Amino acid sequence: MDWMLADQPVEARLRVNGRPHALSIEPRVTLLDALREHLGLTGTKKGCDHGQCGACTVLVNGRRINSCLSLALAHEGDDVVTVEGLAGGGRLHPLQAAFLEHDGFQCGYCTPGQICSAVGMLAEVEAGWPSHATGDLAGEAELDAAEIRERMSGNICRCSAYPNIVAAIRSVAEAAS
Ligand code: FES
Ligand code: FES
């Protein structure tokens, strides 16, 4: 029987921002540490390392996750997108541009997670997923400030830039509607 030991490196094949990578990592390595320590993608931040702050948010197959709570090996075959993969063709992602325009940050540490989370959140709204703040489950959810705050509640900003973060997200949502 083959045993997988937590401190013995194994090969992991990850697809990140459209590029395949073959890594030799210990099975206990989180997706967050694989991105930052093994792939040099330090845009994704480590805040709490316990699933409480959202600084480590990335997109996996289009859905937002806390990469500190997920083992890298669990994502072989997945399509992982980090903040570095959002811009394309020499243009910022609309949410990146909106955060700049609305001054949606101060120190910027939470910002990559906020932006990745907002990308995933807008896709959830587009798919018709309700939130805890949605009043009319049968109707189309209006993405007002209360909805945005509830849906983004997993992303903490210690600088408390929340009003501008909400304004940035709202501007993108309104431009798309
Ligand atoms: S670092 Fe992952 S939630 Fe805080
Ligand atoms: S901008 Fe500093 S933690 Fe959010």
Side-chain angles (χ1 to χ4, degrees):
M1 178 182 219
D2 290 336
W3 291 90
M4 185 184 288
L5 300 175
D7 60 354
Q8 296 294 314
V10 296
E11 184 171 307
R13 295 183 179 278
L14 296 179
R15 184 170 182 80
V16 182
N17 298 332
R19 293 183 55 190
H21 299 274
L23 302 177
S24 178
I25 56 174
E26 297 170 8
R28 61 186 171 184
V29 170
T30 63
L31 179 60
L32 172 60
D33 285 341
L35 293 170
R36 287 183 56 84
E37 309 297 335
H38 295 267
L39 294 177
L41 294 169
T42 54
T44 306
K45 300 296 188 248
K46 181 180 284 189
C48 63
D49 213 17
H50 284 88
Q52 296 174 344
C53 73
C56 65
T57 305
V58 299
L59 298 159
V60 173
N61 300 329
R63 291 184 61 177
R64 51 183 174 164
I65 70 161
N66 289 335
S67 60
C68 70
L69 292 183
S70 199
L71 294 175
L73 278 178
H75 295 290
E76 287 193 309
D78 285 344
D79 188 20
V80 180
V81 174
T82 69
V83 70
E84 291 93 341
L86 293 180
R91 297 173 67 94
L92 291 175
H93 185 282
L95 276 161
Q96 292 175 308
F99 269 66
L100 281 173
E101 184 184 343
H102 291 270
D103 209 14
F105 51 85
Q106 290 183 39
C107 77
Y109 198 80
C110 73
T111 311
Q114 299 277 3
I115 291 175
C116 284
S117 187
V119 172
M121 183 273 281
L122 291 179
E124 292 163 13
V125 173
E126 179 74 24
W129 294 10
S131 81
H132 187 66
T134 305
D136 180 5
L137 294 180
E140 197 169 304
E142 185 197 346
L143 202 58
D144 58 16
E147 273 278 358
I148 292 172
R149 284 177 180 272
E150 168 61 24
R151 290 175 185 268
M152 294 295 294
S153 59
N155 290 82
I156 307 301
C157 176
R158 286 175 177 78
C159 299
S160 211
Y162 297 114
N164 296 8
I165 291 170
V166 170
I169 295 171
R170 203 168 185 181
S171 72
V172 173
E174 287 174 356
S177 63

PDB file of all heavy atoms in Angstrom, residues 6 9 21 37 39 52-55 60 63 79-80 87 93 111 113 136 140-141 149 173:
ATOM      1  N   ALA A   6       2.323  13.520   5.032  1.00  0.00           N
ATOM      2  CA  ALA A   6       2.040  14.953   4.938  1.00  0.00           C
ATOM      3  C   ALA A   6       3.280  15.766   4.619  1.00  0.00           C
ATOM      4  O   ALA A   6       3.191  16.843   4.046  1.00  0.00           O
ATOM      5  CB  ALA A   6       1.408  15.437   6.235  1.00  0.00           C
ATOM      6  N   PRO A   9       7.049  15.398  -0.365  1.00  0.00           N
ATOM      7  CA  PRO A   9       6.542  16.084  -1.564  1.00  0.00           C
ATOM      8  C   PRO A   9       5.912  15.119  -2.564  1.00  0.00           C
ATOM      9  O   PRO A   9       6.370  13.984  -2.728  1.00  0.00           O
ATOM     10  CB  PRO A   9       7.805  16.717  -2.153  1.00  0.00           C
ATOM     11  CG  PRO A   9       8.762  16.819  -1.016  1.00  0.00           C
ATOM     12  CD  PRO A   9       8.477  15.628  -0.142  1.00  0.00           C
ATOM     13  N   HIS A  21       0.881  24.271 -14.489  1.00  0.00           N
ATOM     14  CA  HIS A  21       2.071  24.229 -13.646  1.00  0.00           C
ATOM     15  C   HIS A  21       2.191  22.841 -13.039  1.00  0.00           C
ATOM     16  O   HIS A  21       1.189  22.268 -12.603  1.00  0.00           O
ATOM     17  CB  HIS A  21       1.986  25.249 -12.504  1.00  0.00           C
ATOM     18  CG  HIS A  21       1.874  26.662 -12.952  1.00  0.00           C
ATOM     19  ND1 HIS A  21       2.977  27.442 -13.245  1.00  0.00           N
ATOM     20  CD2 HIS A  21       0.786  27.449 -13.173  1.00  0.00           C
ATOM     21  CE1 HIS A  21       2.576  28.639 -13.612  1.00  0.00           C
ATOM     22  NE2 HIS A  21       1.261  28.678 -13.591  1.00  0.00           N
ATOM     23  N   GLU A  37       3.925  30.820  -2.371  1.00  0.00           N
ATOM     24  CA  GLU A  37       5.288  30.351  -2.082  1.00  0.00           C
ATOM     25  C   GLU A  37       5.892  29.539  -3.226  1.00  0.00           C
ATOM     26  O   GLU A  37       7.110  29.490  -3.373  1.00  0.00           O
ATOM     27  CB  GLU A  37       5.289  29.496  -0.801  1.00  0.00           C
ATOM     28  CG  GLU A  37       4.607  30.137   0.393  1.00  0.00           C
ATOM     29  CD  GLU A  37       5.280  31.422   0.852  1.00  0.00           C
ATOM     30  OE1 GLU A  37       6.487  31.584   0.598  1.00  0.00           O
ATOM     31  OE2 GLU A  37       4.581  32.270   1.442  1.00  0.00           O
ATOM     32  N   LEU A  39       4.440  29.418  -6.676  1.00  0.00           N
ATOM     33  CA  LEU A  39       4.254  30.010  -8.004  1.00  0.00           C
ATOM     34  C   LEU A  39       4.592  31.493  -8.035  1.00  0.00           C
ATOM     35  O   LEU A  39       4.563  32.115  -9.104  1.00  0.00           O
ATOM     36  CB  LEU A  39       2.806  29.798  -8.484  1.00  0.00           C
ATOM     37  CG  LEU A  39       2.417  28.336  -8.736  1.00  0.00           C
ATOM     38  CD1 LEU A  39       0.952  28.236  -9.136  1.00  0.00           C
ATOM     39  CD2 LEU A  39       3.302  27.734  -9.830  1.00  0.00           C
ATOM     40  N   GLN A  52     -11.259  33.546   7.832  1.00  0.00           N
ATOM     41  CA  GLN A  52     -12.057  34.567   8.506  1.00  0.00           C
ATOM     42  C   GLN A  52     -11.997  35.947   7.852  1.00  0.00           C
ATOM     43  O   GLN A  52     -12.800  36.808   8.185  1.00  0.00           O
ATOM     44  CB  GLN A  52     -11.603  34.691   9.968  1.00  0.00           C
ATOM     45  CG  GLN A  52     -11.863  33.429  10.752  1.00  0.00           C
ATOM     46  CD  GLN A  52     -11.295  33.482  12.157  1.00  0.00           C
ATOM     47  OE1 GLN A  52     -10.469  34.324  12.471  1.00  0.00           O
ATOM     48  NE2 GLN A  52     -11.725  32.563  12.991  1.00  0.00           N
ATOM     49  N   CYS A  53     -11.032  36.188   6.952  1.00  0.00           N
ATOM     50  CA  CYS A  53     -10.860  37.569   6.480  1.00  0.00           C
ATOM     51  C   CYS A  53     -11.114  37.759   4.979  1.00  0.00           C
ATOM     52  O   CYS A  53     -11.394  38.860   4.543  1.00  0.00           O
ATOM     53  CB  CYS A  53      -9.458  38.069   6.817  1.00  0.00           C
ATOM     54  SG  CYS A  53      -8.145  37.333   5.799  1.00  0.00           S
ATOM     55  N   GLY A  54     -10.966  36.723   4.188  1.00  0.00           N
ATOM     56  CA  GLY A  54     -11.214  36.826   2.751  1.00  0.00           C
ATOM     57  C   GLY A  54     -10.049  37.364   1.936  1.00  0.00           C
ATOM     58  O   GLY A  54     -10.156  37.472   0.708  1.00  0.00           O
ATOM     59  N   ALA A  55      -8.937  37.702   2.579  1.00  0.00           N
ATOM     60  CA  ALA A  55      -7.797  38.262   1.829  1.00  0.00           C
ATOM     61  C   ALA A  55      -7.245  37.273   0.804  1.00  0.00           C
ATOM     62  O   ALA A  55      -6.624  37.667  -0.177  1.00  0.00           O
ATOM     63  CB  ALA A  55      -6.686  38.667   2.801  1.00  0.00           C
ATOM     64  N   VAL A  60     -12.146  29.593  -8.371  1.00  0.00           N
ATOM     65  CA  VAL A  60     -11.904  28.220  -8.816  1.00  0.00           C
ATOM     66  C   VAL A  60     -13.110  27.795  -9.645  1.00  0.00           C
ATOM     67  O   VAL A  60     -14.231  27.752  -9.128  1.00  0.00           O
ATOM     68  CB  VAL A  60     -11.691  27.266  -7.627  1.00  0.00           C
ATOM     69  CG1 VAL A  60     -11.613  25.825  -8.109  1.00  0.00           C
ATOM     70  CG2 VAL A  60     -10.416  27.628  -6.870  1.00  0.00           C
ATOM     71  N   ARG A  63     -15.937  30.142  -9.266  1.00  0.00           N
ATOM     72  CA  ARG A  63     -16.535  30.392  -7.958  1.00  0.00           C
ATOM     73  C   ARG A  63     -15.477  30.858  -6.970  1.00  0.00           C
ATOM     74  O   ARG A  63     -14.339  30.379  -6.990  1.00  0.00           O
ATOM     75  CB  ARG A  63     -17.241  29.134  -7.441  1.00  0.00           C
ATOM     76  CG  ARG A  63     -18.483  28.798  -8.243  1.00  0.00           C
ATOM     77  CD  ARG A  63     -19.226  27.618  -7.691  1.00  0.00           C
ATOM     78  NE  ARG A  63     -19.681  27.853  -6.329  1.00  0.00           N
ATOM     79  CZ  ARG A  63     -20.412  26.987  -5.637  1.00  0.00           C
ATOM     80  NH1 ARG A  63     -20.749  25.844  -6.198  1.00  0.00           N
ATOM     81  NH2 ARG A  63     -20.793  27.253  -4.410  1.00  0.00           N
ATOM     82  N   ASP A  79      -9.745  25.132 -12.771  1.00  0.00           N
ATOM     83  CA  ASP A  79      -9.281  26.362 -13.403  1.00  0.00           C
ATOM     84  C   ASP A  79      -9.209  27.437 -12.316  1.00  0.00           C
ATOM     85  O   ASP A  79     -10.231  27.932 -11.857  1.00  0.00           O
ATOM     86  CB  ASP A  79     -10.281  26.747 -14.507  1.00  0.00           C
ATOM     87  CG  ASP A  79      -9.785  27.901 -15.346  1.00  0.00           C
ATOM     88  OD1 ASP A  79      -8.569  28.149 -15.352  1.00  0.00           O
ATOM     89  OD2 ASP A  79     -10.620  28.550 -15.994  1.00  0.00           O
ATOM     90  N   VAL A  80      -7.993  27.737 -11.881  1.00  0.00           N
ATOM     91  CA  VAL A  80      -7.794  28.695 -10.792  1.00  0.00           C
ATOM     92  C   VAL A  80      -7.445  30.067 -11.388  1.00  0.00           C
ATOM     93  O   VAL A  80      -6.587  30.163 -12.272  1.00  0.00           O
ATOM     94  CB  VAL A  80      -6.650  28.236  -9.858  1.00  0.00           C
ATOM     95  CG1 VAL A  80      -6.446  29.247  -8.725  1.00  0.00           C
ATOM     96  CG2 VAL A  80      -6.947  26.847  -9.299  1.00  0.00           C
ATOM     97  N   ALA A  87      -6.891  40.913 -15.343  1.00  0.00           N
ATOM     98  CA  ALA A  87      -6.702  41.853 -16.448  1.00  0.00           C
ATOM     99  C   ALA A  87      -6.372  41.071 -17.715  1.00  0.00           C
ATOM    100  O   ALA A  87      -5.887  39.945 -17.659  1.00  0.00           O
ATOM    101  CB  ALA A  87      -5.584  42.833 -16.117  1.00  0.00           C
ATOM    102  N   HIS A  93      -9.399  44.581 -15.463  1.00  0.00           N
ATOM    103  CA  HIS A  93     -10.762  44.067 -15.303  1.00  0.00           C
ATOM    104  C   HIS A  93     -11.643  45.243 -14.854  1.00  0.00           C
ATOM    105  O   HIS A  93     -11.173  46.124 -14.116  1.00  0.00           O
ATOM    106  CB  HIS A  93     -10.754  42.964 -14.243  1.00  0.00           C
ATOM    107  CG  HIS A  93     -12.070  42.278 -14.081  1.00  0.00           C
ATOM    108  ND1 HIS A  93     -13.124  42.846 -13.384  1.00  0.00           N
ATOM    109  CD2 HIS A  93     -12.505  41.075 -14.526  1.00  0.00           C
ATOM    110  CE1 HIS A  93     -14.151  42.015 -13.409  1.00  0.00           C
ATOM    111  NE2 HIS A  93     -13.808  40.927 -14.103  1.00  0.00           N
ATOM    112  N   THR A 111      -7.411  44.169  -0.891  1.00  0.00           N
ATOM    113  CA  THR A 111      -7.990  44.499  -2.196  1.00  0.00           C
ATOM    114  C   THR A 111      -8.014  43.341  -3.195  1.00  0.00           C
ATOM    115  O   THR A 111      -9.042  43.132  -3.855  1.00  0.00           O
ATOM    116  CB  THR A 111      -7.264  45.724  -2.800  1.00  0.00           C
ATOM    117  OG1 THR A 111      -7.191  46.748  -1.808  1.00  0.00           O
ATOM    118  CG2 THR A 111      -8.007  46.248  -4.007  1.00  0.00           C
ATOM    119  N   GLY A 113      -8.326  40.217  -2.654  1.00  0.00           N
ATOM    120  CA  GLY A 113      -9.423  39.343  -2.221  1.00  0.00           C
ATOM    121  C   GLY A 113     -10.766  39.985  -2.451  1.00  0.00           C
ATOM    122  O   GLY A 113     -11.724  39.321  -2.862  1.00  0.00           O
ATOM    123  N   ASP A 136     -37.096  39.470  -1.793  1.00  0.00           N
ATOM    124  CA  ASP A 136     -38.024  38.769  -2.674  1.00  0.00           C
ATOM    125  C   ASP A 136     -37.281  37.641  -3.391  1.00  0.00           C
ATOM    126  O   ASP A 136     -36.575  37.869  -4.376  1.00  0.00           O
ATOM    127  CB  ASP A 136     -38.613  39.759  -3.691  1.00  0.00           C
ATOM    128  CG  ASP A 136     -39.592  39.088  -4.640  1.00  0.00           C
ATOM    129  OD1 ASP A 136     -39.885  37.890  -4.438  1.00  0.00           O
ATOM    130  OD2 ASP A 136     -40.042  39.761  -5.586  1.00  0.00           O
ATOM    131  N   GLU A 140     -36.245  39.358  -9.155  1.00  0.00           N
ATOM    132  CA  GLU A 140     -34.842  39.601  -9.495  1.00  0.00           C
ATOM    133  C   GLU A 140     -34.194  40.414  -8.377  1.00  0.00           C
ATOM    134  O   GLU A 140     -34.739  41.437  -7.964  1.00  0.00           O
ATOM    135  CB  GLU A 140     -34.772  40.369 -10.822  1.00  0.00           C
ATOM    136  CG  GLU A 140     -33.404  40.312 -11.475  1.00  0.00           C
ATOM    137  CD  GLU A 140     -33.459  40.860 -12.890  1.00  0.00           C
ATOM    138  OE1 GLU A 140     -34.273  40.345 -13.692  1.00  0.00           O
ATOM    139  OE2 GLU A 140     -32.720  41.808 -13.164  1.00  0.00           O
ATOM    140  N   ALA A 141     -33.068  39.941  -7.853  1.00  0.00           N
ATOM    141  CA  ALA A 141     -32.428  40.624  -6.738  1.00  0.00           C
ATOM    142  C   ALA A 141     -31.863  41.963  -7.194  1.00  0.00           C
ATOM    143  O   ALA A 141     -31.125  42.035  -8.175  1.00  0.00           O
ATOM    144  CB  ALA A 141     -31.316  39.752  -6.176  1.00  0.00           C
ATOM    145  N   ARG A 149     -23.165  44.590   0.641  1.00  0.00           N
ATOM    146  CA  ARG A 149     -22.494  44.413   1.932  1.00  0.00           C
ATOM    147  C   ARG A 149     -22.682  42.990   2.462  1.00  0.00           C
ATOM    148  O   ARG A 149     -21.749  42.387   2.992  1.00  0.00           O
ATOM    149  CB  ARG A 149     -23.030  45.436   2.944  1.00  0.00           C
ATOM    150  CG  ARG A 149     -22.483  46.835   2.701  1.00  0.00           C
ATOM    151  CD  ARG A 149     -23.081  47.836   3.681  1.00  0.00           C
ATOM    152  NE  ARG A 149     -22.552  49.172   3.442  1.00  0.00           N
ATOM    153  CZ  ARG A 149     -21.448  49.652   3.994  1.00  0.00           C
ATOM    154  NH1 ARG A 149     -20.752  48.899   4.837  1.00  0.00           N
ATOM    155  NH2 ARG A 149     -21.020  50.865   3.722  1.00  0.00           N
ATOM    156  N   ALA A 173     -21.781  46.771 -11.422  1.00  0.00           N
ATOM    157  CA  ALA A 173     -23.064  46.071 -11.558  1.00  0.00           C
ATOM    158  C   ALA A 173     -24.042  46.896 -12.382  1.00  0.00           C
ATOM    159  O   ALA A 173     -24.751  46.369 -13.248  1.00  0.00           O
ATOM    160  CB  ALA A 173     -23.623  45.764 -10.177  1.00  0.00           C
TER     161      ALA A 173
END
